[in-house]
Amino acid sequence: MEIAICPNCKKEIPEDSKSCSHCLKPIVSVKYKNVFSWQLSDKIFLFAAIILLIGFFQPWFPGSILYEDKPISPYRMLLNIVDLDIDFLESYNILRMIIIVPIFSILLYFMIYLRASMQKTLFPSIFLFLISCASILPFFFRIAGMTGGVLMSLVFLFCIIAYYRISYMSGRLGYASYFVLLIFMCLSVFIYQLDLGKEFYVNLETIKVSQTYGFWLTWLTFGTLIFTIILSFMKTVEDFWLMTFGVLLSLIAYNTFIHPLFVSGPFAFFADNFSEVGIQALTHIKIVFIALAIAIATGVPLGVYITRNPVAARIVLYISSILITIPSIAMFGFMMPILSSIDKSWDAVSGIGIGAVPAVLALALYSLLPIIRNTYIALKNVDPATIEAGRGMGMTPFQLLIKLQLPLSAPIIMAGVRTAVVMGIAIGAIAAYIGAGGLGIFVSQGLQMSTNDSVIAGAVSMSLLAILADIFLEQVEDWITPAGLKIER
Amino acid sequence: MGTMLSFKEVTKIYPGAEHIKAINELSFDLEDGEICTLVGPSGCGKSTAMKMVNRLIPMTSGKILIDGQNIDRLNTIELRRGIGYVIQNIGLFPNMTIGENIAIIPKMKGWDEGRIKERVETLLDIVNLPAEEYIDRYPRELSGGQQQRIGVARGMAIDPPVMLMDEPFGAIDPINRDHLQNEFLKIQAKLKKTIVFVTHDIDEAIKMGDKVCLLKDGKLVQFASPEKMLTEPANDFVRDFVGGDRTLKRLNLLTIRTAIRPDPPVVLETEKSATAGTIMTETGAKHLITVDSEGRLTGYIDHEALKKDGETVEQIKCETEAFLPDTSSLKDGLSEIFSHDLEFLIVLDDSKRVIGTLYTDDIKKILRG
Ligand SMILES: Nc1ncnc2c1ncn2[C@@H]1O[C@H](COP(=O)(O)OP(=O)(O)OP(=O)(O)O)[C@@H](O)[C@H]1O
Ligand SMILES: [Mg+2]
């Protein structure tokens, strides 16, 4: 969380104050400080997280998992997933139970954490609308047939639009949608756990509480989370109705929307191929990261160099623009024979003509353009007066570069890196075709064997990766932007 | 005091603009400790001439000597670090705080932390921006005028013997500019730096300069002391440029001391009123200045006052505001005379003792030369 501080005395002040209440000086521009304040919900979430973390290394969490007659912890299970006798695991449901708890806890925590800003954006309302339509409309058609379904859908749409209108007019659209969504998410996971638990424990002959305390623990944790959320939100009668609506929505949505998604579908595919997805995601990240490192190491110096040589600038920018227009398949195709000829001349046994090396090189070439261009433009756009002042005071060209030009262009260079990374993750999908591995494998295999779940799982995980990388790099961009540049004039 | 900076037939032709000489055979010598103001219409080559001194702009021909050394023979970086530089468009480093901006060259020169901090604080004090408030701010949090003052402070950071300043007070309001100019002249009186000061404002040029260098289309039109430039303009261009009011401008340069009429008739305030009357009839003066035993001004007496009854001068004297110290400019003196519709102005020294009077006739005489 960020709080406003006075630039003079560095003490906390209200965000829109015109003068500091501590040092009485007028405030030209507010500065911000990152703080972590322990509110009640934060503490409960922390408590839940600790329980989950401990439980993860306990042999009895979230149920009785026996391996060669000995109970093992989820952690060990994940480590040894390949060696385990698949049959005993009662399908992979148990695995899903393990994964979904920490993942959803983190997700929920982030949602709570982003509460204030989420309530101001349209995102929760749109998402809520989509979810309710996607889950409830099919449900209507199923229970009431065509005409009934259309009628009920119309009524439902009318209701939800009326609800949006009312909450918008009272300025609570963001709040209300966010609240309902939160209930929905918590409850869905809760019911999911219950479902899995039922399936799993039905097959056990005797249920001993002592052997299944992990299972009850997860329930307890989730119960606490849901309870906290409800308590920290519910203050008026209106909130009570909101909650009722949230509960109803989650029950219906779960049965029509979530459950099928997890039982068979991309999520089920994820759970079933957990370790494979993890390995390929790591490969994907590795390829993109190495390519990026190469591109930065060559692109930034090149970008700096061409600011001093206009002829070279034209040539380099021209070539890198051409590079980026080459279709990725063709690019990978070019790489292979070129690298194979190196293989031949070296008489290499395990060649570099196929696999990760050509993929990395091709991605590095693609990443060059945004990095070179952004470096070039950023350096060119540094205020000439700043440079002249530096030069006139006797800074060497190297000092100018390190102390002025690079820090001042860091945000723009970083924007180039972000473009390159997102593009690299997408193009990396093609790398699977030349045997480099990566998440593209799920797409290519899925296409060959026409298993949609695999394709969707591959595509979704790649977009997730891209989004996460972008968020991370945005943060990095923020870190490396000099504080003096963040001040709006 | 020898020659510190000299231009010897310096010519600059910009590549791509070969038909014009941006600077055309410019020659002048500047003594150690002098301020030379480069003045002229926009585009006449002031900045160009100045930037050739620290080799930001290479000259086409001719040479520039600093302290007798040809600048072409010196290491560029060393040359520049020895010259304070304040540029026309401020050019503060937005990624550094005010403190870091000022400290950058001292840091590169390897000064120790304590010395740098002390220096930064003194400089901020000089430019009238309290250190504790501004030192940790960023340039973007300052107004244009404040930034320009930081620019000046940064130029003075290492106390360089030679400084180049390109319109350093251009963006500052008249009151603050006046303050900064005076403050700067005061510091200069102590530090005696050799300064090339670019401005387009002839008043500023005359006020700040020991020498004024008037340029037109890259050519030197006149290089002279401000006084001389006003009294003996070299040609019609100079006459026009300094303005029709150049005689009045001279008033700014001259102090009251130059036109003072010494030993005015005074009377001690402890004297009898009658004595005052006698002195007035004897000297024929319409006004009589009254002083205390130390010779300090207390008021004046005129014929009206004499009609009042009172034993001593002190009881009948009138208060007056018509006085100025002898260090004020003639312009201020004249302005005072006109605004109070006075016949003369009483002139005091530092300790407020009456040392003379100022009459418009004397001012006229001085201006006529
Ligand atoms: N890089 C350049 N290339 C070509 N011509 C230039 C260049 N820089 C300046 N000039 C020309 O040289 C002349 C002098 O420019 P300079 O910047 O020295 O003017 P100035 O006297 O400082 O004007 P101002 O008061 O507007 O700052 C102008 O006619 C200008 O057009
Ligand atoms: Mg200029």
Side-chain angles (χ1 to χ4, degrees):
Chain A
M1 194 168 60
E2 285 196 323
I3 52 158
I5 55 163
C6 166
N8 295 317
C9 59
K10 312 274 185 291
K11 287 191 187 126
E12 290 181 28
I13 46 165
E15 187 149 0
D16 42 10
S17 37
K18 291 272 172 290
S19 69
C20 175
S21 47
H22 305 285
C23 60
L24 303 175
K25 284 188 182 133
I27 305 233
V28 188
S29 63
V30 182
K31 282 189 176 166
Y32 289 94
K33 182 166 75 176
N34 252 321
V35 289
F36 197 89
S37 68
W38 288 105
Q39 289 159 348
L40 180 68
S41 51
D42 291 317
K43 285 181 189 159
I44 294 179
F45 267 96
L46 183 75
F47 170 72
I50 291 175
I51 289 189
L52 287 174
L53 192 73
I54 297 172
F56 198 65
F57 297 96
Q58 296 300 317
W60 298 110
F61 174 90
S64 173
I65 306 168
L66 297 175
Y67 176 52
E68 291 168 357
D69 288 337
K70 264 191 252 133
I72 60 166
S73 70
Y75 170 68
R76 272 198 55 207
M77 190 172 89
L78 284 178
L79 282 188
N80 305 316
I81 194 113
V82 200
D83 310 329
L84 289 180
D85 181 5
I86 300 299
D87 281 345
F88 100 92
L89 272 176
E90 294 288 324
S91 91
Y92 270 81
N93 280 350
I94 188 73
L95 191 56
R96 283 179 225 162
M97 261 162 85
I98 299 165
I99 305 163
I100 203 151
V101 172
I103 289 181
F104 268 78
S105 309
I106 292 169
L107 203 70
L108 282 181
Y109 184 72
F110 273 124
M111 267 189 84
I112 296 273
Y113 195 66
L114 295 173
R115 176 160 53 197
S117 53
M118 289 268 276
Q119 283 168 13
K120 282 183 208 139
T121 64
L122 267 181
F123 172 75
S125 346
I126 295 172
F127 196 57
L128 179 65
F129 183 76
L130 290 181
I131 282 193
S132 11
C133 290
S135 53
I136 294 176
L137 298 190
F139 174 71
F140 288 153
F141 282 98
R142 206 168 61 217
I143 59 166
M146 194 59 203
T147 9
V150 170
L151 261 176
M152 285 175 81
S153 307
L154 284 179
V155 171
F156 176 77
L157 282 178
F158 176 76
C159 286
I160 198 158
I161 287 170
Y163 157 73
Y164 269 34
R165 230 180 97 79
I166 292 168
S167 22
Y168 182 76
M169 298 225 287
S170 56
R172 286 162 55 91
L173 178 61
Y175 168 84
S177 328
Y178 171 78
F179 183 47
V180 171
L181 260 187
L182 214 58
I183 297 268
F184 165 72
M185 284 173 64
C186 290
L187 221 63
S188 307
V189 179
F190 192 71
I191 306 171
Y192 183 64
Q193 281 284 307
L194 190 70
D195 265 4
L196 286 178
K198 261 195 312 207
E199 249 174 68
F200 183 63
Y201 288 102
V202 156
N203 297 327
L204 291 180
E205 280 156 14
T206 49
I207 300 174
K208 290 186 200 142
V209 174
S210 67
Q211 284 188 348
T212 56
Y213 77 87
F215 177 76
W216 302 114
L217 216 72
T218 37
W219 267 45
L220 183 74
T221 319
F222 261 98
T224 326
L225 287 181
I226 297 173
F227 206 62
T228 322
I229 288 165
I230 290 174
L231 276 191
S232 68
F233 269 81
M234 221 164 63
K235 296 194 177 79
T236 58
V237 182
E238 231 180 321
D239 294 340
F240 172 77
W241 290 113
L242 276 180
M243 198 203 75
T244 319
F245 178 58
V247 170
L248 270 177
L249 175 73
S250 9
L251 287 177
I252 300 174
Y254 177 74
N255 280 312
T256 53
F257 186 58
I258 309 253
H259 186 71
L261 206 66
F262 276 94
V263 168
S264 67
F267 284 98
F269 182 88
F270 266 125
D272 291 345
N273 297 286
F274 180 75
S275 67
E276 186 65 16
V277 172
I279 290 167
Q280 295 307 344
L282 278 183
T283 320
H284 208 100
I285 292 171
K286 216 158 63 188
I287 292 174
V288 174
F289 184 79
I290 297 173
L292 185 75
I294 295 175
I296 291 178
T298 51
V300 173
L302 207 58
V304 172
Y305 170 73
I306 61 177
T307 51
R308 290 160 197 205
N309 188 338
V311 183
R314 297 239 323 257
I315 299 173
V316 168
L317 289 176
Y318 193 66
I319 292 180
S320 48
S321 326
I322 289 182
L323 277 179
I324 212 164
T325 59
I326 300 174
S328 33
I329 294 265
M331 178 78 104
F332 288 120
F334 288 147
M335 284 294 144
M336 289 205 306
I338 295 173
L339 291 171
S340 307
S341 65
I342 298 176
D343 279 353
K344 267 186 213 129
S345 61
W346 283 356
D347 276 334
V349 183
S350 64
I352 54 170
I354 202 158
V357 180
V360 165
L361 280 184
L363 281 187
L365 285 181
Y366 276 121
S367 308
L368 271 180
L369 176 69
I371 292 174
I372 293 180
R373 195 175 44 195
N374 279 37
T375 308
Y376 177 75
I377 291 174
L379 256 61
K380 279 271 167 194
N381 275 340
V382 172
D383 183 3
T386 308
I387 304 299
E388 195 202 310
R391 244 161 49 89
M393 293 192 318
M395 289 167 85
T396 61
F398 183 70
Q399 284 168 334
L400 282 177
L401 186 70
I402 295 296
K403 292 214 149 80
L404 294 179
Q405 290 171 312
L406 284 182
L408 291 177
S409 33
I412 303 180
I413 296 180
M414 207 53 212
V417 171
R418 270 168 73 186
T419 319
V421 166
V422 172
M423 202 175 66
I425 290 177
I427 294 179
I430 313 291
Y433 282 102
I434 56 169
L439 290 167
I441 280 195
F442 299 110
V443 179
S444 60
Q445 281 177 0
L447 287 176
Q448 275 162 23
M449 302 185 289
S450 35
T451 40
N452 277 340
D453 289 346
S454 172
V455 177
I456 295 175
V460 166
S461 45
M462 271 186 291
S463 13
L464 268 181
L465 196 62
I467 291 170
L468 286 180
D470 199 49
I471 291 175
F472 173 70
L473 291 174
E474 193 179 354
Q475 191 60 47
V476 174
E477 186 181 320
D478 191 58
W479 285 331
I480 64 173
T481 305
L485 289 187
K486 290 183 200 166
I487 298 158
E488 299 289 325
R489 279 236 72 180
Chain B
M1 295 240 166
T3 307
M4 187 64 171
L5 177 69
S6 56
F7 276 63
K8 297 220 183 297
E9 300 182 350
V10 176
T11 297
K12 172 66 192 177
I13 299 172
Y14 278 107
E18 274 84 5
H19 54 288
I20 353 173
K21 290 180 174 167
I23 294 293
N24 193 349
E25 308 213 329
L26 178 65
S27 305
F28 63 82
D29 290 325
L30 199 57
E31 298 290 300
D32 191 10
E34 275 186 331
I35 300 184
C36 166
T37 46
L38 286 181
V39 66
S42 183
C44 67
K46 307 181 291 285
S47 301
T48 308
M50 192 197 78
K51 286 178 195 170
M52 284 191 293
V53 176
N54 63 1
R55 302 226 316 246
L56 275 180
I57 296 177
M59 62 190 118
T60 312
S61 67
K63 58 183 173 182
I64 296 177
L65 308 179
I66 291 183
D67 213 3
Q69 281 181 297
N70 188 338
I71 57 163
D72 283 336
R73 304 251 165 77
L74 299 171
N75 172 298
T76 316
I77 301 296
E78 287 309 314
L79 169 77
R80 288 177 185 162
R81 286 198 185 162
I83 299 178
Y85 186 50
V86 181
I87 76 168
Q88 190 167 7
N89 339 24
I90 308 172
L92 294 185
F93 306 145
N95 54 330
M96 301 180 193
T97 61
I98 300 306
E100 290 165 349
N101 260 286
I102 299 176
I104 187 146
I105 294 299
K107 248 187 210 144
M108 286 179 186
K109 288 214 151 192
W111 290 18
D112 62 73
E113 287 293 316
R115 187 171 165 210
I116 293 179
K117 190 161 183 292
E118 200 180 317
R119 182 75 189 145
V120 170
E121 277 165 10
T122 348
L123 285 169
L124 282 175
D125 205 43
I126 289 175
V127 296
N128 223 8
L129 296 170
E132 70 275 12
E133 190 174 329
Y134 288 95
I135 201 161
D136 286 329
R137 294 230 193 146
Y138 285 97
R140 288 193 185 174
E141 291 171 296
L142 267 53
S143 73
Q146 289 170 331
Q147 290 186 24
Q148 204 160 36
R149 286 188 255 170
I150 301 298
V152 174
R154 187 175 65 175
M156 302 201 290
I158 47 159
D159 210 355
V162 179
M163 286 191 71
L164 307 176
M165 309 174 87
D166 200 343
E167 307 210 7
F169 306 137
I172 302 174
D173 64 287
I175 294 177
N176 261 313
R177 179 177 331 154
D178 206 52
H179 168 85
L180 276 179
Q181 286 171 344
N182 293 338
E183 209 56 29
F184 194 80
L185 286 175
K186 238 186 262 168
I187 304 166
Q188 167 66 4
K190 262 188 269 158
L191 301 180
K192 289 275 164 215
K193 294 179 190 304
T194 310
I195 299 171
V196 177
F197 189 109
V198 171
T199 172
H200 62 261
D201 174 6
I202 184 70
D203 290 321
E204 189 175 49
I206 287 169
K207 177 172 182 185
M208 303 299 288
D210 296 312
K211 293 280 163 54
V212 178
C213 174
L214 181 58
L215 296 177
K216 185 196 177 214
D217 299 333
K219 260 187 125 53
L220 181 68
V221 186
Q222 188 168 11
F223 179 80
S225 68
E227 173 70 19
K228 190 147 183 227
M229 176 121 358
L230 292 173
T231 45
E232 302 166 30
N235 57 24
D236 284 346
F237 174 75
V238 184
R239 215 182 310 263
D240 279 351
F241 196 82
V242 295
D245 62 341
R246 66 196 158 90
T247 314
L248 289 183
K249 286 198 171 111
R250 284 180 60 210
L251 290 176
N252 232 344
L253 285 177
L254 300 167
T255 59
I256 290 181
R257 199 177 316 167
T258 53
I260 196 169
R261 189 178 293 183
D263 302 326
V266 294
V267 60
L268 267 175
E269 57 179 8
T270 48
E271 297 276 350
K272 296 260 172 351
S273 317
T275 326
T278 332
I279 299 178
M280 280 175 76
T281 33
E282 271 173 19
T283 56
K286 286 189 210 128
H287 304 267
L288 198 55
I289 301 164
T290 67
V291 293
D292 64 9
S293 55
E294 305 279 316
R296 284 192 294 251
L297 176 70
T298 58
Y300 71 99
I301 291 179
D302 55 10
H303 292 295
E304 290 293 308
L306 279 177
K307 285 179 199 143
K308 281 193 269 184
D309 36 81
E311 275 282 306
T312 60
V313 170
E314 188 174 9
Q315 282 159 337
I316 59 167
K317 69 156 201 244
C318 312
E319 297 285 322
T320 178
E321 287 175 1
F323 57 85
L324 275 181
D326 64 342
T327 47
S328 311
S329 69
L330 273 182
K331 188 177 167 193
D332 290 348
L334 203 57
S335 157
E336 200 71 9
I337 290 178
F338 287 150
S339 60
H340 292 108
D341 195 16
L342 306 167
E343 197 172 321
F344 64 88
L345 190 72
I346 305 164
V347 183
L348 310 178
D349 66 4
D350 287 345
S351 41
K352 297 217 160 224
R353 277 195 299 265
V354 177
I355 54 170
T357 47
L358 180 71
Y359 285 85
T360 41
D361 286 350
D362 296 335
I363 299 178
K364 279 186 212 153
K365 230 179 278 166
I366 289 270
L367 290 182
R368 250 181 269 125

